[in-house]
Amino acid sequence: MTVIPFPVPDSPDDCEATSRSGDRPTSHAAGKNTRGRESITMQLLRIYADAMLNDPNHQGFTDEEAMKAAGFSLEDDGHRRRCSTLRERRYIEQWYVNGIGVERLNERTGKFRIVCIVTTSGIDRLWGRT
């Protein structure tokens, strides 16, 4: 596991619009209206970073675990899509131990899910360096 040697900033204004090119016009409009609140995607990224920085034994999160840790509803807040966005941007990545991708059993679904950790690019994003 990579240990990041600096704290994660607390920036309520770190809320770049995160609508995707294929989203409906209403999503684009809402994405532009984020002043004073942090996007779900950025809150999730902060959860990944905080966990790694505050617990040297942290074992990463599945998408669902990250959503729960952030206090979001699994049904309403699109955890797979939000975490997928973080992976696409390379802000989180699957955790590997001895060259093997870590997966964890999801008790709710009975299926194995990949476990991810924050990347240095994710930390840079939180710091506003990207």
Side-chain angles (χ1 to χ4, degrees):
M1 176 182 308
T2 305
V3 177
I4 311 298
F6 43 84
V8 176
D10 287 326
S11 174
D13 294 324
D14 189 13
C15 54
E16 171 185 305
T18 58
S19 59
R20 291 166 292 276
S21 60
D23 285 349
R24 296 176 182 201
T26 53
S27 294
H28 289 283
K32 292 176 184 172
N33 184 23
T34 59
R35 187 178 177 127
R37 62 186 167 90
E38 193 173 49
S39 71
I40 291 173
T41 305
M42 290 305 294
Q43 288 179 56
L44 285 170
L45 181 57
R46 191 174 305 284
I47 288 294
Y48 278 96
D50 286 346
M52 182 178 282
L53 293 170
N54 294 322
D55 181 1
N57 298 314
H58 179 66
Q59 301 292 307
F61 289 117
T62 64
D63 294 357
E64 188 169 307
E65 290 168 345
M67 287 297 284
K68 284 182 182 178
F72 293 117
S73 164
L74 297 176
E75 293 79 28
D76 298 334
D77 293 318
H79 61 288
R80 287 178 206 85
R81 185 176 48 185
R82 305 297 181 190
C83 292
S84 208
T85 297
L86 291 173
R87 278 189 291 277
E88 287 170 8
R89 294 177 181 173
R90 293 183 168 75
Y91 294 158
I92 63 172
E93 65 185 5
Q94 186 173 11
W95 182 31
Y96 284 83
V97 175
N98 297 323
I100 300 171
V102 176
E103 295 182 348
R104 195 163 24 244
L105 183 65
N106 180 309
E107 293 181 15
R108 186 177 63 84
T109 65
K111 297 180 180 180
F112 281 90
R113 301 292 185 214
I114 66 169
V115 173
C116 292
I117 57 173
V118 70
T119 65
T120 53
S121 294
I123 296 294
D124 286 345
R125 175 63 187 97
L126 286 170
W127 276 89
R129 294 188 283 218
T130 59

